[in-house]
């Protein structure tokens, strides 16, 4: 499957601050998906990006797909304790997902 | 959204025994389901694609004789871990797509003693 690199692996954030997690591929992606996995839980679909340069927002979450469709980012503003978990990007190929390593987010109150 | 269930949620077994995990799509039909494995603090790795009415497709490095997959109906896929060993201890998660979204089951945590 397509290899997707994701950084940082861990993100310790002060409540109220912003952070970004990045996803990169050496090949052009047809689309990229983002998932959130809470501790002890299963991945939950957040969004899919398909178009070059696409930007989508979900409340405090902003997702971007690069112009070359080789990278993507998730930016969270005003982090809350409910944002704790691991965020994965995943490249989809015929519905088969290749996951990035994930960014595990912890929040300091 | 669509719902995918898994059973059991947790299983502890002795080394050498076989364990069957069920994955069900509760409110939609899934001709294709996917099985992933997740080791602690690691990402999800696709093991195989389960195809209704035909043989599963396994990813490179996954032993088909050890991880038996059966997809006998449009709502059920099963994964049997045969002759389980401690290194098979992991979190096994299935998924199915509904539209453009993938829906994951709650996962099965397998511990092999």
């Amino acid at each position: 499957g397509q290899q997707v690199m994701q950084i940082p692996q861990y993100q310790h954030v002060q409540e109220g601050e912003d952070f970004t997690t990045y996803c990169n591929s050496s090949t052009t992606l047809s689309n990229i998906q983002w998932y959130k996995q809470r501790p002890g839980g299963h991945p939950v679909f957040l969004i899919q990006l398909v178009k070059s340069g696409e930007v989508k927002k979900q409340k405090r979450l902003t997702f971007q797909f690069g112009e070359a469709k080789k990278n993507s980012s998730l930016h969270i503003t005003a982090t809350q304790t409910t944002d704790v978990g691991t965020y994965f990007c995943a490249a989809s190929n015929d519905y088969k997902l290749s996951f990035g390593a994930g960014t595990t987010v912890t929040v300091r109150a | 959204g669509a719902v995918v269930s898994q059973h059991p949620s947790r299983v502890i077994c002795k080394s050498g025994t076989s364990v069957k995990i069920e994955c069900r799509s509760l409110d939609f039909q899934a001709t294709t389901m996917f099985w992933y494995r997740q080791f602690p603090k690691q990402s999800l790795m696709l093991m195989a694609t389960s195809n209704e009415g035909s043989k599963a497709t396994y990813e490179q490095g996954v032993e088909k004789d050890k991880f038996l997959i059966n997809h006998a109906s449009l709502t059920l896929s099963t994964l049997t871990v045969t002759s389980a060993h401690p290194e098979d201890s992991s979190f096994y998660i299935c998924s199915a797509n509904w539209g453009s979204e993938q829906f994951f089951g709650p996962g099965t945590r397998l511990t092999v003693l």
Side-chain angles (χ1 to χ4, degrees), chain A residues 11-19 78-80 106-109:
Chain A
Q11 186 79 56
H12 307 292
V13 189
Q14 179 70 43
E15 190 173 16
E17 291 185 343
D18 304 349
F19 75 89
T79 304
Q80 300 177 358
T106 53
V107 179
R108 299 190 300 273

Side-chain angles (χ1 to χ4, degrees), chain A residues 1 9-10 33 35 37 40-45 48 88 94-102, chain B residues 34 36 38 41-44 46 49 57 59 91 93 97 99-102 104-107 109:
Chain A
Q9 186 176 2
Y10 297 99
Q33 300 180 9
Y35 292 81
Q37 184 177 25
H42 62 278
V44 174
F45 176 85
Q48 176 174 270
F88 292 98
D94 285 338
Y95 299 108
K96 292 165 40 170
L97 298 175
S98 296
F99 283 87
Chain B
F34 303 93
Y36 293 84
Q38 185 178 34
K41 299 189 186 301
Q42 293 189 23
S43 189
L44 287 84
L46 178 65
T49 302
T57 307
E59 296 300 302
F91 192 46
I93 314 174
N97 63 282
S100 61
E101 282 191 39
Q102 281 280 323
F104 284 84
R109 194 162 300 282

